[in-house]
Amino acid sequence: MDDSDEDQRLPHHREPKEFVSLKQLEELGVLSWRLDADNYETDEELKKIREERGYSYMDFCEVSPEKQPNYEENIKKFFVEHLHTDEEIRYTVAGSGYFDVRDKNDGWIRVWVKKGGMIVLPAGMYHRFTLDSNNYIKAVRLFVGDPVWTPFNRPHDHLPARKQYVEAFVQKECNDHAVNAAA
């Protein structure tokens, strides 16, 4: 994404536009699924994912000027770069928004989440969230065990979750290139 400081709810494409594949996101630890948001209560695929990944807790979060007290203040808080010590799992059942995640070179990648999209950000990954210009999202929040969504604003590189993320996804890429260059 570009580095403009225009309205955070705009797409912020670079010119010319650059797109990132789902495989590239997966290499950063970001997982995603396309699910049936109209039938999330009975969706067998969602049930399977929850069982396989141990997501035992589920609730809903609705963000819009009408639904969120102190909307402008909260949307700015969500947009502060931070990490969590657990995965952040969001399944969009209505509306849309953007998760911005850091690539291996510390640049921003903007991921547009829309109805039916489920995204998992790994523990320790720096990211931020904003709505898009539609100003509305309803998402299912999933957790392993009791819900914990404490944000740790950057920098928090000393946290074990951050160190594990860097080792698993950032340094791995550097080490892979070093091995290939030496071969």
Side-chain angles (χ1 to χ4, degrees):
M1 73 182 271
D2 69 23
D3 56 3
S4 164
D5 56 4
E6 280 186 273
D7 186 344
Q8 67 194 42
R9 295 166 303 156
L10 297 175
H12 287 278
H13 288 291
R14 289 182 179 163
E15 289 299 330
K17 290 182 180 177
E18 296 177 38
F19 295 95
V20 176
S21 71
L22 293 176
K23 183 178 181 341
Q24 289 170 296
L25 287 173
E26 195 173 308
E27 289 170 359
L28 296 170
V30 177
L31 304 176
S32 65
W33 292 265
R34 195 100 193 104
L35 301 172
D36 182 2
D38 291 326
N39 298 298
Y40 61 86
E41 291 113 342
T42 58
D43 187 345
E44 288 299 316
E45 181 70 11
L46 176 60
K47 182 180 176 185
K48 179 181 165 199
I49 293 166
R50 288 186 67 190
E51 288 173 1
E52 287 175 356
R53 299 188 62 83
Y55 301 149
S56 57
Y57 180 91
M58 180 174 106
D59 70 8
F60 291 87
C61 178
E62 207 166 3
V63 181
S64 72
E66 299 77 29
K67 300 283 185 178
Q68 186 85 32
N70 304 316
Y71 170 77
E72 290 297 332
E73 181 183 315
N74 282 328
I75 203 70
K76 285 184 171 90
K77 272 197 300 192
F78 298 153
F79 200 61
V80 174
E81 184 176 6
H82 62 279
L83 61 80
H84 301 282
T85 56
D86 294 302
E87 290 180 332
E88 181 162 343
I89 308 105
R90 298 294 182 268
Y91 173 24
T92 306
V93 295
S96 50
Y98 297 112
F99 276 98
D100 297 338
V101 299
R102 290 289 187 180
D103 67 14
K104 292 178 182 177
N105 298 314
D106 215 31
W108 285 115
I109 297 173
R110 177 152 274 194
V111 181
W112 194 16
V113 293
K114 299 182 268 187
K115 181 179 177 179
M118 183 168 146
I119 189 169
V120 177
L121 304 181
M125 175 185 236
Y126 284 119
H127 65 281
R128 60 191 184 188
F129 175 79
T130 189
L131 292 179
D132 60 15
S133 58
N134 293 317
N135 284 320
Y136 178 75
I137 194 166
K138 181 177 182 181
V140 175
R141 299 185 299 189
L142 298 155
F143 298 90
V144 174
D146 291 330
V148 177
W149 53 85
T150 304
F152 294 93
N153 293 350
R154 191 171 190 174
H156 265 84
D157 296 337
H158 65 282
L159 291 176
R162 178 63 184 167
K163 290 178 181 181
Q164 290 166 359
Y165 175 78
V166 168
E167 186 177 304
F169 297 105
V170 179
Q171 289 178 345
K172 178 184 183 283
E173 177 77 10
C174 295
N175 292 340
D176 288 350
H177 286 301
V179 170
N180 290 337

